[in-house]
Amino acid sequence: MKHIIEKQKYLSLNPTTKEIVAEFQMMNKEEIEEIILATVEAQKEWKKIPAPSRGEALLKIADLLEKRADEWGQLLTTEVGKCIRDGVAEVYRSVSILRFFAGEGYRMTGETIPSKQEGVLAYTKQQPLGTVGVITPWNVPLAIPIWKIAPALVAGNSVVWKPANQSLLISQKLVALFEEAGLPKNLVAMVQAEGPVVGDTFAENENIKAVSFTGSNKTGKIINKLLATRGIRFQAEMGGKNPFIIMADADIEQACKDIVAGGLLDAGQRCTATSRIFVHTSIYPAFREKMLEVLETVKLGPPTEEASIIGPVVDQGQYENIWSYINQAKLDGATLIYGGDEPEEEWAKNGYFIKPKLFDNVSQDMTIAKEEIFGPVLALIQFSDFDECLKQANAIEYGLSSTIYTKDISAAMKYVDEIESGLVHINLPSTYSEPQMPFGGIKSTGIGGFRELGTHAIKFYTEWKTVYVRTK
Ligand SMILES: NC(=O)C1=CN([C@@H]2O[C@H](COP(=O)(O)OP(=O)(O)OC[C@H]3O[C@@H](n4cnc5c(N)ncnc54)[C@H](OP(=O)(O)O)[C@@H]3O)[C@@H](O)[C@H]2O)C=CC1
Ligand SMILES: O=C(O)CCC(=O)C(=O)O
C-alpha cells in the first residue's frame, strides 16, 4: 500500500518582516509520483531535439532573466532576505551559467577511435539518463537550481525539482519562466513537499535515474544511503568549514576585505563561506586591528537598501541555530571581539538580523572551529608553523573551499598540493567561482565525486555508449 501523508500548508515568510510572502499546499507521495510520470513523458520528445537546439532554449531563459534582473533580485530579497546587490548579482550569475551550458549543447562530443579491424568504425557517444531528481537549498535559490537543471536539460534529460521550502515562490516563478521561454510543460516540474517525502520517493521510484543535491551534510548522507539501495548516481555538495590562511607576507588589507566578501556576504549562508581564519602570529596584532576597522564599514541593514551589505538570515530555525553556535563559542572559552551588540533600530525589530561576530582565542577543538555554522560568524586562530597550520586546516570532515593570502609562490604551491579542498584560492575570497570551472568538494562534502559547473557537469547527466559499426 502506498504511503500517504496528511497534506500540510507551508507559509513562506519574508525574513526581514516575517510577513507572509506565499502559501503552498504540500504534496504527498502520490502527487509526486504523478509528477514524475508527466516528466518522464516530456523527456521522450525532448531527447530527440539535437543538443545545440536544446542549448538554444537555455539562451531564451537567460535573455528573459537578464531583462528582468532587478525584479528577480527583489524577489530574492523578499523571500530569502538577500541584500539587493547580491540578489541582482545572483541573477546575472545565473544568466552566465545558462549561457555557458547553452554552449555545451555544441560540445556534447564523443570520440572516434581507430579500429584495429578493417571495415569497422568505432566511436563513443553520450546519451541522456532520462528523468533526474534535483534537490536544492534556499541560500543560493536561483543560481544553484540553474546550475543543476541547465546541464541536465542540455544533455537531454527531464527534471523533477525539489527546492527548499524557504524559496518556493522563487522556484515556482522560475519554472513559469522556463515555460515562458518555450520549454515544454513538465520538462522541469517542481515538487513542493517535505524533504523526506521527496527523498523516499526519489529513492523508490525507478523512473528517477540520478539525483543531484546541495544542502547539509546530515541530509546528504541520508539521501546517499537511500539511493544506494538502487545504486543510482548521486551528486552531492554537502557543506564546508572553509579555512582562510594569512601568511606573514600577506596583503593584510586585501585579506580583511576578502574575509568580509567570503565570510559575511549573504550573512555567511554559503557553503563556500570563509569560516576559520588562520593568522600568522607575527602579523596578528596588525591584522586584528585592520579586521576590526574593516568590520566597522560592513553595514547590517534592511536588504532592500542598496547600502546594506548584510541582511537577515533566512528563518527562525537558521537564526536559532546560529545563536546556539555563538553561545557555545562563548561557553568554550572563545573571546568575542566584535559584534557584541545587536541592532536596535526599527527595521531590525521583526527580522532575523544577526550582527557579524568575530571570535578570538579559538582553538581547533572548539565547536565553532569544527562545525558548519552558516551564519556571520568568524573564528580567529593563530599559527607560527605553516605545516602545523595546514594540518589543522585539514583536520575537519569537510573539504569544499579554502584560501591562502601570501606573496610567496612556493608557499602558495605547497598549499595547493596539500590543502584538502575541491576549490582552492590564492589571494581571492573563498566564495569566488566561475561557471566554466568545475565546482565541488572532496572528503565528506563531495560524496560521489561528481563535479558541478564547467564541462564536468554534463558527465553526471549522461550515459556513454561505445559503438562498433561494420562499414564494408
Ligand atoms: N551545502 C550547502 O550549501 C548548504 C548547507 N546547509 C546547511 O544545513 C543546515 C540546515 O539547513 P537546511 O535547509 O535544513 O538543509 P537541508 O540539507 O536539510 O535542506 C536542503 C534541501 O534538502 C531537502 N531535504 C531535507 N531532507 C531531505 C530528505 N530526507 N530527502 C530529500 N531532500 C531533503 C530540503 O527540503 P526542505 O526544505 O523540505 O527541508 C532542501 O530542499 C544549514 O544551517 C547549513 O549548515 C543548508 C543549505 C545549503
Ligand atoms: O554560491 C556559491 O558559489 C556556493 C554555493 C553555495 O553556497 C552552496 O552550495 O550552498
Side-chain angles (χ1 to χ4, degrees), residues 38 219 284 354 411 442:
T219 298
Y284 194 75
I354 301 177
I442 58 176

Side-chain angles (χ1 to χ4, degrees), residues 3-67:
H3 168 70
I4 302 171
I5 61 154
E6 277 303 308
K7 277 209 165 190
Q8 292 168 332
K9 221 184 253 175
Y10 182 86
L11 298 179
S12 180
L13 301 184
N14 180 331
T16 311
T17 60
K18 298 190 190 143
E19 285 162 347
I20 298 172
V21 171
E23 214 177 287
F24 290 88
Q25 203 67 48
M26 294 284 105
M27 292 173 179
N28 63 31
K29 196 166 182 178
E30 289 187 327
E31 287 166 311
I32 300 170
E33 280 169 347
E34 276 169 30
I35 284 181
I36 295 174
L37 283 181
T39 312
V40 168
E41 272 314 300
Q43 195 258 344
K44 289 181 182 160
E45 291 305 312
W46 180 248
K47 70 177 180 191
K48 293 181 194 158
I49 298 173
S53 304
R54 293 195 297 250
E56 276 164 24
L58 300 184
L59 292 179
K60 291 191 189 138
I61 303 167
D63 291 347
L64 285 175
L65 264 183
E66 189 174 44
K67 249 188 240 157

Side-chain angles (χ1 to χ4, degrees), residues 93 137 139-140 144 147 214 237 269-272 374 431 433 439:
R93 181 182 187 198
N139 61 327
V140 185
I144 291 181
W147 85 46
T214 295
E237 196 283 273
Q269 301 171 113
R270 296 275 285 273
C271 57
T272 46
F374 233 59
T431 45
S433 101
F439 177 95

Side-chain angles (χ1 to χ4, degrees), residues 10 26 135-139 144 162-166 193-200 202 213-220 222-223 226 237-240 269-272 318 321-322 325 372-374 398 400:
Y10 182 86
M26 294 284 105
I135 303 173
T136 55
W138 42 264
N139 61 327
I144 291 181
K162 187 318 184 212
N165 290 335
Q166 294 92 331
E194 293 304 332
V197 182
V198 181
D200 289 352
F202 280 1
F213 166 81
T214 295
S216 67
N217 207 272
K218 186 170 155 229
T219 298
I222 293 171
I223 300 172
L226 286 172
E237 196 283 273
M238 294 161 41
Q269 301 171 113
R270 296 275 285 273
C271 57
T272 46
Q318 191 63 19
N321 203 31
I322 296 166
Y325 279 113
E372 184 177 52
I373 301 175
F374 233 59
Y398 295 104
L400 183 56

